[in-house]
Amino acid sequence: MAASLTHPHPAVAGAPRHGSRFANPAGPRALPSFPTMAPFFLRKAWTELVPRSGAARIVPFDRAALRHNPGITWIGHSTMLVRMDGVTFLTDPIFSERASPVSFAGPQRLVPPGVPLDELPPIDFVLISHDHYDHADAASIAALAARGARFIVPLGLGELVRANGGTAIELDWWQETSVGPAAGTGSAGPLPARTADPSSGALRRVEASGGRVGSLRAAKSDRLEGAGAVTVHCVPAQHFCGRSLTDGNHRLWAGWVVEGPTRRFYHAGDTGYFDGFAEIGRRLGPIDLAAIPIGAYDPPAIMHAVHINPEEAVQAARDLGARRVVGMHFGTFDLTDEPLDEPPRRFHAAAAQQGFDPEHAWTLNVGETRSW
């Protein structure tokens, strides 16, 4: 689905870099001290042995509801199944029992996926925000790749997708690509990425990573009606990357805006609060539904720079100009110190104070679907 392509305006830039490593616009964050980190890791080791209560509630998923267009289903953590403008996509897929590089240790899932992998409808593409194990799960990537799913990822993350049998297009901040339904497209090549110049609208083609893109093994009759193309925009986030002690920030982190003819959806990935929310809203708004993390914020001395709290999540929705906001990234894995059931309570209280009524500020049950 190529568009006419021209060279970008010289002012266009992607994510900042410090040498070979990516960086946040505000610069390097101050790392927490050892006296702060050591007790935190001890506390989390204890909760591995003695799980806490307060996990998110799960409800049986509704197969018919999975076809609602537009619709959104919370599978758990930051994994959302989204339907809009005739396409179906997943965000930050993790279906594994642990968010960890090993199967015998690390944060264990507290509630099963709201929709099992083998019950998913045909998936047109998958968005991954960054490389942390609770957002980029290798086993889930491999399973989705085996079904022919296409992946759209930030710069550097394509290697993880390819290592697990998939193909990916990699984007820098403020680049975009068009994508449509996978079923019936055969083995089309990778989709072109473009960099949009906010002042002139100019577009630049960049190199796509990976090889051929397979179609989902599903009958055409299983597709949502009204299928068409959407534009996926890679947008800034304030976070970091790394899957080992040696690869920190060699891969980019990002949020996503998916723009269709009738709807715009934003997925924040993982992020601290920053002025980028307002910039995203200015460039790509209005946002019809924003999925924003509301958990993993305590202790602030460790988390504040890279995770927003519920009050900041609501403010981020305001900054974005979002019409609706749905909280995510809570109640599925016990990653930090706050009570597991605290984030949604604080989120709804803050939403009410900021003028979001219950029809416009949601937390879903795992497995629940809502139209938007």
Side-chain angles (χ1 to χ4, degrees):
M1 296 184 180
S4 59
L5 305 171
T6 60
H7 292 290
H9 189 277
V12 174
R17 293 166 173 81
H18 291 166
S20 64
R21 300 175 188 266
F22 293 101
N24 289 304
R29 64 188 175 108
L31 295 177
S33 66
F34 178 79
T36 300
M37 293 293 290
F40 170 73
F41 283 124
L42 288 173
R43 291 193 297 272
K44 298 325 295 172
W46 178 250
T47 59
E48 275 281 300
L49 298 172
V50 184
R52 299 191 293 171
S53 62
R57 181 171 176 258
I58 186 169
V59 298
F61 70 93
D62 183 337
R63 286 181 178 82
L66 295 183
R67 296 177 59 83
H68 287 179
N69 186 15
I72 186 168
T73 304
W74 191 30
I75 291 176
H77 203 51
S78 296
T79 309
M80 297 287 190
L81 176 66
V82 184
R83 281 81 53 209
M84 56 175 278
D85 289 313
V87 298
T88 302
F89 59 93
L90 279 171
T91 64
D92 286 357
I94 178 166
F95 292 82
S96 294
E97 285 300 306
R98 291 187 186 272
S100 171
V102 296
S103 61
F104 56 85
Q108 190 166 7
R109 196 173 199 108
L110 303 175
V111 58
V115 182
L117 262 169
D118 59 2
E119 295 282 359
L120 289 173
I123 303 298
D124 293 309
F125 59 92
V126 180
L127 301 176
I128 301 179
S129 65
H130 64 295
D131 70 1
H132 290 162
Y133 290 98
D134 57 323
H135 294 257
D137 175 59
S140 299
I141 292 171
L144 291 164
R147 292 172 52 132
R150 300 172 286 182
F151 292 79
I152 303 174
V153 301
L155 291 179
L157 197 49
E159 62 176 328
L160 178 65
V161 174
R162 292 190 294 273
N164 287 281
T167 56
I169 186 167
E170 299 182 21
L171 300 180
D172 201 348
W173 290 352
W174 303 120
Q175 289 182 336
E176 64 191 51
T177 187
S178 296
V179 59
T185 60
S187 54
L191 301 169
R194 304 183 295 273
T195 300
D197 174 3
S199 61
S200 69
L203 300 174
R204 172 171 63 93
R205 182 168 183 161
V206 299
E207 191 68 23
S209 68
R212 297 165 71 83
V213 179
S215 63
L216 285 172
R217 298 166 188 162
K220 268 189 174 181
S221 61
D222 290 336
R223 307 302 317 160
L224 288 167
E225 294 184 5
V230 296
T231 301
V232 178
H233 302 264
C234 182
V235 297
Q238 182 172 290
H239 203 57
F240 67 106
C241 270
R243 292 170 76 85
S244 72
L245 296 176
T246 61
D247 66 347
N249 294 348
H250 283 294
R251 305 179 190 94
L252 184 58
W253 51 94
W256 302 101
V257 173
V258 181
E259 175 189 4
T262 72
R263 294 291 190 278
R264 295 189 184 199
F265 172 77
Y266 168 71
H267 188 273
D270 252 357
T271 183
Y273 182 79
F274 72 132
D275 58 10
F277 294 118
E279 178 70 2
I280 293 165
R282 183 184 72 79
R283 292 198 190 193
L284 297 173
I287 303 297
D288 294 289
L289 178 61
I292 301 180
I294 63 172
Y297 47 81
D298 274 349
I302 299 174
M303 300 297 165
H304 185 256
V306 294
H307 287 160
I308 51 179
N309 64 35
E311 293 77 21
E312 291 169 329
V314 175
Q315 184 59 54
R318 280 291 178 217
D319 295 348
L320 288 160
R323 293 169 175 162
R324 288 184 175 87
V325 56
V326 57
M328 62 178 186
H329 200 270
F330 73 94
T332 310
F333 297 98
D334 191 348
L335 301 176
T336 49
D337 282 350
E338 75 272 5
L340 290 168
D341 56 358
E342 179 182 273
R345 296 198 307 269
R346 285 177 54 174
F347 171 75
H348 286 291
Q353 291 175 357
Q354 288 266 22
F356 284 99
D357 63 35
E359 291 299 313
H360 293 85
W362 307 337
T363 52
L364 304 178
N365 298 310
V366 173
E368 182 181 356
T369 297
R370 289 197 193 182
S371 294
W372 55 282

